[in-house]
Amino acid sequence: VQLQASGGGSVQPGGSLRLSCAASGFSLDLYAIGWVRQAPGKVREWVSCISARDGTTYYGDSVKGRFAISRDKVKNMVYLQIDNLKPEDTGVYYCAARQRVCNSDWLQYSDWGQGTLVTVSS
């Protein structure tokens, strides 16, 4: 199982980014993919997940309505569209995998990518 996150950058408040997670060595039909972020000096926070079997999506309360997770099973890619970015969205965003079903506890994800940095400031 390998994961590689990309797409981070520096944006102004109100801007948008699309993060990508390239998955290899496994099928998205068998693994749920989550996004977890870590703000400077803070603990990691689970933000979203897409389940394996039927692609059901889940979001943390702090990002509902602004984040959208999706996947392309042909390309084995998972995406996180982030709109209306806020300074508190700043942090390193990781994609992570766990078997089959989503979990809002980031500790339950077994495999992790290297993270991509998102910085939101004016």
PDB file of all heavy atoms in Angstrom, residues 80-110:
ATOM      1  N   LEU A  80      -9.477  15.766  -2.856  1.00  0.00           N
ATOM      2  CA  LEU A  80     -10.147  16.577  -1.840  1.00  0.00           C
ATOM      3  C   LEU A  80     -10.231  17.997  -2.367  1.00  0.00           C
ATOM      4  O   LEU A  80      -9.224  18.699  -2.456  1.00  0.00           O
ATOM      5  CB  LEU A  80      -9.396  16.550  -0.504  1.00  0.00           C
ATOM      6  CG  LEU A  80     -10.123  17.233   0.647  1.00  0.00           C
ATOM      7  CD1 LEU A  80     -11.377  16.436   1.036  1.00  0.00           C
ATOM      8  CD2 LEU A  80      -9.205  17.396   1.859  1.00  0.00           C
ATOM      9  N   GLN A  81     -11.431  18.384  -2.753  1.00  0.00           N
ATOM     10  CA  GLN A  81     -11.681  19.746  -3.197  1.00  0.00           C
ATOM     11  C   GLN A  81     -11.958  20.607  -1.979  1.00  0.00           C
ATOM     12  O   GLN A  81     -12.845  20.282  -1.172  1.00  0.00           O
ATOM     13  CB  GLN A  81     -12.873  19.786  -4.153  1.00  0.00           C
ATOM     14  CG  GLN A  81     -13.254  21.179  -4.617  1.00  0.00           C
ATOM     15  CD  GLN A  81     -12.221  21.801  -5.536  1.00  0.00           C
ATOM     16  OE1 GLN A  81     -11.617  21.110  -6.357  1.00  0.00           O
ATOM     17  NE2 GLN A  81     -12.017  23.115  -5.407  1.00  0.00           N
ATOM     18  N   ILE A  82     -11.202  21.670  -1.835  1.00  0.00           N
ATOM     19  CA  ILE A  82     -11.355  22.549  -0.676  1.00  0.00           C
ATOM     20  C   ILE A  82     -11.728  23.938  -1.177  1.00  0.00           C
ATOM     21  O   ILE A  82     -10.972  24.572  -1.910  1.00  0.00           O
ATOM     22  CB  ILE A  82     -10.053  22.639   0.136  1.00  0.00           C
ATOM     23  CG1 ILE A  82      -9.522  21.254   0.480  1.00  0.00           C
ATOM     24  CG2 ILE A  82     -10.281  23.445   1.396  1.00  0.00           C
ATOM     25  CD1 ILE A  82      -8.182  21.269   1.193  1.00  0.00           C
ATOM     26  N   ASP A  83     -12.882  24.393  -0.802  1.00  0.00           N
ATOM     27  CA  ASP A  83     -13.362  25.718  -1.207  1.00  0.00           C
ATOM     28  C   ASP A  83     -13.466  26.640   0.003  1.00  0.00           C
ATOM     29  O   ASP A  83     -13.520  26.190   1.143  1.00  0.00           O
ATOM     30  CB  ASP A  83     -14.721  25.595  -1.890  1.00  0.00           C
ATOM     31  CG  ASP A  83     -14.651  24.811  -3.187  1.00  0.00           C
ATOM     32  OD1 ASP A  83     -13.648  24.944  -3.911  1.00  0.00           O
ATOM     33  OD2 ASP A  83     -15.605  24.051  -3.464  1.00  0.00           O
ATOM     34  N   ASN A  84     -13.538  27.932  -0.281  1.00  0.00           N
ATOM     35  CA  ASN A  84     -13.675  28.930   0.781  1.00  0.00           C
ATOM     36  C   ASN A  84     -12.663  28.688   1.899  1.00  0.00           C
ATOM     37  O   ASN A  84     -13.026  28.589   3.074  1.00  0.00           O
ATOM     38  CB  ASN A  84     -15.099  28.923   1.329  1.00  0.00           C
ATOM     39  CG  ASN A  84     -15.376  30.085   2.256  1.00  0.00           C
ATOM     40  OD1 ASN A  84     -14.702  31.109   2.215  1.00  0.00           O
ATOM     41  ND2 ASN A  84     -16.373  29.921   3.117  1.00  0.00           N
ATOM     42  N   LEU A  85     -11.408  28.591   1.501  1.00  0.00           N
ATOM     43  CA  LEU A  85     -10.360  28.300   2.464  1.00  0.00           C
ATOM     44  C   LEU A  85     -10.270  29.377   3.529  1.00  0.00           C
ATOM     45  O   LEU A  85     -10.424  30.572   3.256  1.00  0.00           O
ATOM     46  CB  LEU A  85      -9.021  28.154   1.745  1.00  0.00           C
ATOM     47  CG  LEU A  85      -8.769  26.771   1.158  1.00  0.00           C
ATOM     48  CD1 LEU A  85      -7.787  26.832  -0.001  1.00  0.00           C
ATOM     49  CD2 LEU A  85      -8.263  25.839   2.245  1.00  0.00           C
ATOM     50  N   LYS A  86      -9.992  28.930   4.745  1.00  0.00           N
ATOM     51  CA  LYS A  86      -9.851  29.808   5.900  1.00  0.00           C
ATOM     52  C   LYS A  86      -8.449  29.655   6.481  1.00  0.00           C
ATOM     53  O   LYS A  86      -7.820  28.601   6.322  1.00  0.00           O
ATOM     54  CB  LYS A  86     -10.881  29.447   6.960  1.00  0.00           C
ATOM     55  CG  LYS A  86     -12.321  29.499   6.464  1.00  0.00           C
ATOM     56  CD  LYS A  86     -13.272  29.054   7.558  1.00  0.00           C
ATOM     57  CE  LYS A  86     -14.716  29.117   7.075  1.00  0.00           C
ATOM     58  NZ  LYS A  86     -15.668  28.700   8.134  1.00  0.00           N
ATOM     59  N   PRO A  87      -7.958  30.652   7.180  1.00  0.00           N
ATOM     60  CA  PRO A  87      -6.621  30.521   7.788  1.00  0.00           C
ATOM     61  C   PRO A  87      -6.493  29.298   8.685  1.00  0.00           C
ATOM     62  O   PRO A  87      -5.415  28.680   8.747  1.00  0.00           O
ATOM     63  CB  PRO A  87      -6.494  31.818   8.595  1.00  0.00           C
ATOM     64  CG  PRO A  87      -7.327  32.803   7.844  1.00  0.00           C
ATOM     65  CD  PRO A  87      -8.503  32.010   7.336  1.00  0.00           C
ATOM     66  N   GLU A  88      -7.573  28.909   9.329  1.00  0.00           N
ATOM     67  CA  GLU A  88      -7.520  27.737  10.211  1.00  0.00           C
ATOM     68  C   GLU A  88      -7.439  26.425   9.446  1.00  0.00           C
ATOM     69  O   GLU A  88      -7.288  25.359  10.045  1.00  0.00           O
ATOM     70  CB  GLU A  88      -8.719  27.720  11.174  1.00  0.00           C
ATOM     71  CG  GLU A  88     -10.063  27.845  10.498  1.00  0.00           C
ATOM     72  CD  GLU A  88     -10.577  29.273  10.502  1.00  0.00           C
ATOM     73  OE1 GLU A  88      -9.773  30.211  10.281  1.00  0.00           O
ATOM     74  OE2 GLU A  88     -11.805  29.453  10.725  1.00  0.00           O
ATOM     75  N   ASP A  89      -7.537  26.479   8.129  1.00  0.00           N
ATOM     76  CA  ASP A  89      -7.327  25.282   7.315  1.00  0.00           C
ATOM     77  C   ASP A  89      -5.849  25.032   7.048  1.00  0.00           C
ATOM     78  O   ASP A  89      -5.480  23.999   6.478  1.00  0.00           O
ATOM     79  CB  ASP A  89      -8.046  25.409   5.972  1.00  0.00           C
ATOM     80  CG  ASP A  89      -9.559  25.446   6.114  1.00  0.00           C
ATOM     81  OD1 ASP A  89     -10.093  24.706   6.948  1.00  0.00           O
ATOM     82  OD2 ASP A  89     -10.190  26.238   5.376  1.00  0.00           O
ATOM     83  N   THR A  90      -5.002  25.939   7.451  1.00  0.00           N
ATOM     84  CA  THR A  90      -3.567  25.783   7.252  1.00  0.00           C
ATOM     85  C   THR A  90      -3.047  24.544   7.961  1.00  0.00           C
ATOM     86  O   THR A  90      -3.406  24.282   9.112  1.00  0.00           O
ATOM     87  CB  THR A  90      -2.815  27.031   7.767  1.00  0.00           C
ATOM     88  OG1 THR A  90      -3.171  28.147   6.955  1.00  0.00           O
ATOM     89  CG2 THR A  90      -1.308  26.837   7.731  1.00  0.00           C
ATOM     90  N   GLY A  91      -2.205  23.792   7.254  1.00  0.00           N
ATOM     91  CA  GLY A  91      -1.619  22.609   7.849  1.00  0.00           C
ATOM     92  C   GLY A  91      -1.127  21.649   6.792  1.00  0.00           C
ATOM     93  O   GLY A  91      -1.255  21.904   5.589  1.00  0.00           O
ATOM     94  N   VAL A  92      -0.574  20.561   7.255  1.00  0.00           N
ATOM     95  CA  VAL A  92      -0.164  19.476   6.359  1.00  0.00           C
ATOM     96  C   VAL A  92      -1.333  18.511   6.228  1.00  0.00           C
ATOM     97  O   VAL A  92      -1.906  18.079   7.232  1.00  0.00           O
ATOM     98  CB  VAL A  92       1.081  18.750   6.899  1.00  0.00           C
ATOM     99  CG1 VAL A  92       1.446  17.590   5.969  1.00  0.00           C
ATOM    100  CG2 VAL A  92       2.248  19.722   7.032  1.00  0.00           C
ATOM    101  N   TYR A  93      -1.670  18.212   4.994  1.00  0.00           N
ATOM    102  CA  TYR A  93      -2.779  17.315   4.706  1.00  0.00           C
ATOM    103  C   TYR A  93      -2.232  15.967   4.256  1.00  0.00           C
ATOM    104  O   TYR A  93      -1.434  15.890   3.315  1.00  0.00           O
ATOM    105  CB  TYR A  93      -3.677  17.908   3.626  1.00  0.00           C
ATOM    106  CG  TYR A  93      -4.566  19.013   4.155  1.00  0.00           C
ATOM    107  CD1 TYR A  93      -4.033  20.241   4.549  1.00  0.00           C
ATOM    108  CD2 TYR A  93      -5.943  18.830   4.291  1.00  0.00           C
ATOM    109  CE1 TYR A  93      -4.833  21.248   5.056  1.00  0.00           C
ATOM    110  CE2 TYR A  93      -6.752  19.833   4.793  1.00  0.00           C
ATOM    111  CZ  TYR A  93      -6.200  21.033   5.168  1.00  0.00           C
ATOM    112  OH  TYR A  93      -7.000  22.024   5.675  1.00  0.00           O
ATOM    113  N   TYR A  94      -2.668  14.939   4.947  1.00  0.00           N
ATOM    114  CA  TYR A  94      -2.249  13.580   4.647  1.00  0.00           C
ATOM    115  C   TYR A  94      -3.432  12.792   4.108  1.00  0.00           C
ATOM    116  O   TYR A  94      -4.560  12.952   4.583  1.00  0.00           O
ATOM    117  CB  TYR A  94      -1.764  12.869   5.911  1.00  0.00           C
ATOM    118  CG  TYR A  94      -0.593  13.516   6.601  1.00  0.00           C
ATOM    119  CD1 TYR A  94      -0.800  14.486   7.589  1.00  0.00           C
ATOM    120  CD2 TYR A  94       0.710  13.145   6.302  1.00  0.00           C
ATOM    121  CE1 TYR A  94       0.273  15.069   8.244  1.00  0.00           C
ATOM    122  CE2 TYR A  94       1.787  13.721   6.959  1.00  0.00           C
ATOM    123  CZ  TYR A  94       1.557  14.690   7.922  1.00  0.00           C
ATOM    124  OH  TYR A  94       2.620  15.265   8.571  1.00  0.00           O
ATOM    125  N   CYS A  95      -3.162  11.903   3.149  1.00  0.00           N
ATOM    126  CA  CYS A  95      -4.160  10.904   2.827  1.00  0.00           C
ATOM    127  C   CYS A  95      -3.718   9.597   3.490  1.00  0.00           C
ATOM    128  O   CYS A  95      -2.519   9.322   3.617  1.00  0.00           O
ATOM    129  CB  CYS A  95      -4.362  10.741   1.322  1.00  0.00           C
ATOM    130  SG  CYS A  95      -2.902  10.358   0.341  1.00  0.00           S
ATOM    131  N   ALA A  96      -4.696   8.839   3.920  1.00  0.00           N
ATOM    132  CA  ALA A  96      -4.426   7.628   4.677  1.00  0.00           C
ATOM    133  C   ALA A  96      -5.458   6.565   4.317  1.00  0.00           C
ATOM    134  O   ALA A  96      -6.582   6.895   3.910  1.00  0.00           O
ATOM    135  CB  ALA A  96      -4.456   7.927   6.171  1.00  0.00           C
ATOM    136  N   ALA A  97      -5.081   5.323   4.487  1.00  0.00           N
ATOM    137  CA  ALA A  97      -5.957   4.221   4.093  1.00  0.00           C
ATOM    138  C   ALA A  97      -6.239   3.295   5.256  1.00  0.00           C
ATOM    139  O   ALA A  97      -5.410   3.123   6.155  1.00  0.00           O
ATOM    140  CB  ALA A  97      -5.307   3.437   2.956  1.00  0.00           C
ATOM    141  N   ARG A  98      -7.410   2.724   5.228  1.00  0.00           N
ATOM    142  CA  ARG A  98      -7.757   1.648   6.143  1.00  0.00           C
ATOM    143  C   ARG A  98      -8.706   0.724   5.397  1.00  0.00           C
ATOM    144  O   ARG A  98      -9.368   1.107   4.426  1.00  0.00           O
ATOM    145  CB  ARG A  98      -8.395   2.168   7.435  1.00  0.00           C
ATOM    146  CG  ARG A  98      -9.747   2.739   7.304  1.00  0.00           C
ATOM    147  CD  ARG A  98     -10.232   3.324   8.630  1.00  0.00           C
ATOM    148  NE  ARG A  98     -10.121   2.414   9.747  1.00  0.00           N
ATOM    149  CZ  ARG A  98     -11.052   1.531  10.111  1.00  0.00           C
ATOM    150  NH1 ARG A  98     -12.169   1.455   9.404  1.00  0.00           N
ATOM    151  NH2 ARG A  98     -10.880   0.752  11.152  1.00  0.00           N
ATOM    152  N   GLN A  99      -8.794  -0.505   5.862  1.00  0.00           N
ATOM    153  CA  GLN A  99      -9.588  -1.477   5.114  1.00  0.00           C
ATOM    154  C   GLN A  99     -11.074  -1.161   5.192  1.00  0.00           C
ATOM    155  O   GLN A  99     -11.627  -0.958   6.261  1.00  0.00           O
ATOM    156  CB  GLN A  99      -9.295  -2.883   5.625  1.00  0.00           C
ATOM    157  CG  GLN A  99      -7.895  -3.365   5.271  1.00  0.00           C
ATOM    158  CD  GLN A  99      -7.686  -4.840   5.564  1.00  0.00           C
ATOM    159  OE1 GLN A  99      -8.616  -5.539   5.985  1.00  0.00           O
ATOM    160  NE2 GLN A  99      -6.479  -5.324   5.345  1.00  0.00           N
ATOM    161  N   ARG A 100     -11.676  -1.046   4.022  1.00  0.00           N
ATOM    162  CA  ARG A 100     -13.111  -1.047   3.778  1.00  0.00           C
ATOM    163  C   ARG A 100     -13.876   0.174   4.289  1.00  0.00           C
ATOM    164  O   ARG A 100     -14.403   0.940   3.495  1.00  0.00           O
ATOM    165  CB  ARG A 100     -13.742  -2.333   4.316  1.00  0.00           C
ATOM    166  CG  ARG A 100     -13.145  -3.573   3.658  1.00  0.00           C
ATOM    167  CD  ARG A 100     -13.996  -4.789   3.838  1.00  0.00           C
ATOM    168  NE  ARG A 100     -13.387  -5.937   3.178  1.00  0.00           N
ATOM    169  CZ  ARG A 100     -13.453  -6.198   1.874  1.00  0.00           C
ATOM    170  NH1 ARG A 100     -14.107  -5.373   1.066  1.00  0.00           N
ATOM    171  NH2 ARG A 100     -12.882  -7.266   1.372  1.00  0.00           N
ATOM    172  N   VAL A 101     -14.005   0.346   5.576  1.00  0.00           N
ATOM    173  CA  VAL A 101     -14.933   1.367   6.073  1.00  0.00           C
ATOM    174  C   VAL A 101     -14.183   2.562   6.660  1.00  0.00           C
ATOM    175  O   VAL A 101     -13.074   2.439   7.161  1.00  0.00           O
ATOM    176  CB  VAL A 101     -15.906   0.791   7.115  1.00  0.00           C
ATOM    177  CG1 VAL A 101     -16.752  -0.307   6.486  1.00  0.00           C
ATOM    178  CG2 VAL A 101     -15.161   0.262   8.330  1.00  0.00           C
ATOM    179  N   CYS A 102     -14.840   3.683   6.599  1.00  0.00           N
ATOM    180  CA  CYS A 102     -14.264   4.906   7.141  1.00  0.00           C
ATOM    181  C   CYS A 102     -14.310   4.903   8.667  1.00  0.00           C
ATOM    182  O   CYS A 102     -15.108   4.197   9.279  1.00  0.00           O
ATOM    183  CB  CYS A 102     -15.011   6.121   6.606  1.00  0.00           C
ATOM    184  SG  CYS A 102     -14.726   6.445   4.853  1.00  0.00           S
ATOM    185  N   ASN A 103     -13.458   5.738   9.235  1.00  0.00           N
ATOM    186  CA  ASN A 103     -13.448   5.934  10.670  1.00  0.00           C
ATOM    187  C   ASN A 103     -13.013   7.362  10.930  1.00  0.00           C
ATOM    188  O   ASN A 103     -12.071   7.850  10.291  1.00  0.00           O
ATOM    189  CB  ASN A 103     -12.502   4.944  11.344  1.00  0.00           C
ATOM    190  CG  ASN A 103     -12.705   4.858  12.841  1.00  0.00           C
ATOM    191  OD1 ASN A 103     -12.569   5.837  13.558  1.00  0.00           O
ATOM    192  ND2 ASN A 103     -13.048   3.667  13.316  1.00  0.00           N
ATOM    193  N   SER A 104     -13.670   8.027  11.849  1.00  0.00           N
ATOM    194  CA  SER A 104     -13.330   9.430  12.118  1.00  0.00           C
ATOM    195  C   SER A 104     -12.156   9.573  13.078  1.00  0.00           C
ATOM    196  O   SER A 104     -11.742  10.697  13.389  1.00  0.00           O
ATOM    197  CB  SER A 104     -14.549  10.171  12.666  1.00  0.00           C
ATOM    198  OG  SER A 104     -14.987   9.573  13.867  1.00  0.00           O
ATOM    199  N   ASP A 105     -11.626   8.470  13.567  1.00  0.00           N
ATOM    200  CA  ASP A 105     -10.451   8.484  14.432  1.00  0.00           C
ATOM    201  C   ASP A 105      -9.218   8.271  13.551  1.00  0.00           C
ATOM    202  O   ASP A 105      -9.030   7.176  13.004  1.00  0.00           O
ATOM    203  CB  ASP A 105     -10.556   7.386  15.475  1.00  0.00           C
ATOM    204  CG  ASP A 105      -9.363   7.351  16.419  1.00  0.00           C
ATOM    205  OD1 ASP A 105      -8.397   8.128  16.216  1.00  0.00           O
ATOM    206  OD2 ASP A 105      -9.396   6.548  17.366  1.00  0.00           O
ATOM    207  N   TRP A 106      -8.381   9.286  13.429  1.00  0.00           N
ATOM    208  CA  TRP A 106      -7.253   9.182  12.517  1.00  0.00           C
ATOM    209  C   TRP A 106      -6.275   8.088  12.913  1.00  0.00           C
ATOM    210  O   TRP A 106      -5.530   7.582  12.082  1.00  0.00           O
ATOM    211  CB  TRP A 106      -6.534  10.529  12.388  1.00  0.00           C
ATOM    212  CG  TRP A 106      -5.911  11.060  13.652  1.00  0.00           C
ATOM    213  CD1 TRP A 106      -6.479  11.895  14.572  1.00  0.00           C
ATOM    214  CD2 TRP A 106      -4.597  10.788  14.120  1.00  0.00           C
ATOM    215  NE1 TRP A 106      -5.596  12.172  15.577  1.00  0.00           N
ATOM    216  CE2 TRP A 106      -4.417  11.511  15.331  1.00  0.00           C
ATOM    217  CE3 TRP A 106      -3.527  10.022  13.652  1.00  0.00           C
ATOM    218  CZ2 TRP A 106      -3.245  11.476  16.051  1.00  0.00           C
ATOM    219  CZ3 TRP A 106      -2.347   9.991  14.371  1.00  0.00           C
ATOM    220  CH2 TRP A 106      -2.208  10.710  15.565  1.00  0.00           C
ATOM    221  N   LEU A 107      -6.303   7.687  14.162  1.00  0.00           N
ATOM    222  CA  LEU A 107      -5.418   6.622  14.623  1.00  0.00           C
ATOM    223  C   LEU A 107      -5.783   5.263  14.026  1.00  0.00           C
ATOM    224  O   LEU A 107      -4.990   4.327  14.079  1.00  0.00           O
ATOM    225  CB  LEU A 107      -5.451   6.535  16.148  1.00  0.00           C
ATOM    226  CG  LEU A 107      -4.783   7.677  16.899  1.00  0.00           C
ATOM    227  CD1 LEU A 107      -5.136   7.620  18.380  1.00  0.00           C
ATOM    228  CD2 LEU A 107      -3.273   7.645  16.707  1.00  0.00           C
ATOM    229  N   GLN A 108      -6.977   5.162  13.449  1.00  0.00           N
ATOM    230  CA  GLN A 108      -7.430   3.887  12.909  1.00  0.00           C
ATOM    231  C   GLN A 108      -6.984   3.649  11.472  1.00  0.00           C
ATOM    232  O   GLN A 108      -7.348   2.637  10.875  1.00  0.00           O
ATOM    233  CB  GLN A 108      -8.954   3.822  12.990  1.00  0.00           C
ATOM    234  CG  GLN A 108      -9.487   3.937  14.419  1.00  0.00           C
ATOM    235  CD  GLN A 108      -8.914   2.872  15.321  1.00  0.00           C
ATOM    236  OE1 GLN A 108      -8.862   1.703  14.958  1.00  0.00           O
ATOM    237  NE2 GLN A 108      -8.464   3.274  16.503  1.00  0.00           N
ATOM    238  N   TYR A 109      -6.228   4.592  10.908  1.00  0.00           N
ATOM    239  CA  TYR A 109      -5.752   4.434   9.537  1.00  0.00           C
ATOM    240  C   TYR A 109      -4.351   3.807   9.570  1.00  0.00           C
ATOM    241  O   TYR A 109      -3.473   4.266  10.294  1.00  0.00           O
ATOM    242  CB  TYR A 109      -5.765   5.784   8.820  1.00  0.00           C
ATOM    243  CG  TYR A 109      -7.171   6.251   8.557  1.00  0.00           C
ATOM    244  CD1 TYR A 109      -7.931   6.825   9.576  1.00  0.00           C
ATOM    245  CD2 TYR A 109      -7.776   6.075   7.319  1.00  0.00           C
ATOM    246  CE1 TYR A 109      -9.244   7.208   9.366  1.00  0.00           C
ATOM    247  CE2 TYR A 109      -9.079   6.461   7.093  1.00  0.00           C
ATOM    248  CZ  TYR A 109      -9.810   7.029   8.120  1.00  0.00           C
ATOM    249  OH  TYR A 109     -11.122   7.404   7.907  1.00  0.00           O
ATOM    250  N   SER A 110      -4.156   2.793   8.764  1.00  0.00           N
ATOM    251  CA  SER A 110      -2.945   1.982   8.864  1.00  0.00           C
ATOM    252  C   SER A 110      -1.828   2.422   7.926  1.00  0.00           C
ATOM    253  O   SER A 110      -0.657   2.130   8.187  1.00  0.00           O
ATOM    254  CB  SER A 110      -3.286   0.518   8.581  1.00  0.00           C
ATOM    255  OG  SER A 110      -3.935   0.397   7.326  1.00  0.00           O
TER     256      SER A 110
END
